Amino acid sequence: MHIIMNEDVFLKNGFHISTDQSLLDFGMIFNYLDKESYWAQGIPVETLKKAIAGSLCFGVYYQNKQVGFARVITDKATFAYLCDVFVLADHRRLGLSKWLMQTIVKHPELQGLRRWSLATTDAQGLYSQFGFKQITRPERWMEIFTPYQSLKKEKEEK
């Protein structure tokens, strides 16, 4: 890892990061993903609830109000998929996303993994600071991709 964020600076200024799911502001997370993100628009409430329940989630809080989020889907032994990473607009440009990434990659349950994965259209600069690189052998990777909007339309047609 190349970047080292001083956690004490954030803590002294009223910020903290927690993996305690009982602290998560589901309404805020859902609103951001459904209305503001480019990757999860149209996500059904129940789908997000299930996704959060099955993930290691990181909440970023300012004076105990949630201002950021990230999910890691992992077996905690070999693989982790990082997704749904965001910091609300009013709290950007403070270094919170770097601090969040540092916290995630240093998390004790995520050490020794063989592979991390993520997908992004605009944050390669952030993730590369933490060791992420373009997939070296994309011809080996395959996917089934069904955007939420397609699922929603399919349901409405039935």
Side-chain angles (χ1 to χ4, degrees), residues 88-106:
L88 295 177
D90 290 348
H91 298 279
R92 291 184 189 147
R93 303 207 180 283
L94 301 174
L96 292 172
S97 60
K98 290 178 186 174
W99 181 40
L100 176 58
M101 283 303 304
Q102 175 178 284
T103 302
I104 291 168
V105 298
K106 285 184 162 186

Side-chain angles (χ1 to χ4, degrees), residues 47-60:
T47 298
L48 183 57
K49 284 181 180 177
K50 196 174 180 181
I52 287 172
S55 301
L56 178 58
C57 297
F58 293 79
V60 181

Side-chain angles (χ1 to χ4, degrees), residues 1-2 14 22 27 36-37 45 51 71 90 93 98-99 104 119 121-122 126 129 136 155:
M1 183 174 16
H2 309 291
S22 72
E36 297 184 47
S37 77
V45 169
R71 278 191 316 121
D90 290 348
R93 303 207 180 283
K98 290 178 186 174
W99 181 40
I104 291 168
T121 61
D122 61 354
L126 168 66
Q129 295 174 59
T136 53
K155 228 180 205 180

Side-chain angles (χ1 to χ4, degrees), residues 101-141:
M101 283 303 304
Q102 175 178 284
T103 302
I104 291 168
V105 298
K106 285 184 162 186
H107 192 278
E109 292 182 72
L110 301 174
Q111 300 309 298
L113 300 177
R114 180 171 175 247
R115 185 180 313 270
W116 284 80
S117 180
L118 64 83
T120 184
T121 61
D122 61 354
Q124 291 84 352
L126 168 66
Y127 299 118
S128 66
Q129 295 174 59
F130 295 91
F132 285 87
K133 298 177 177 123
Q134 285 191 335
I135 292 175
T136 53
R137 297 257 175 102
E139 70 277 5
R140 292 183 179 188
W141 288 80

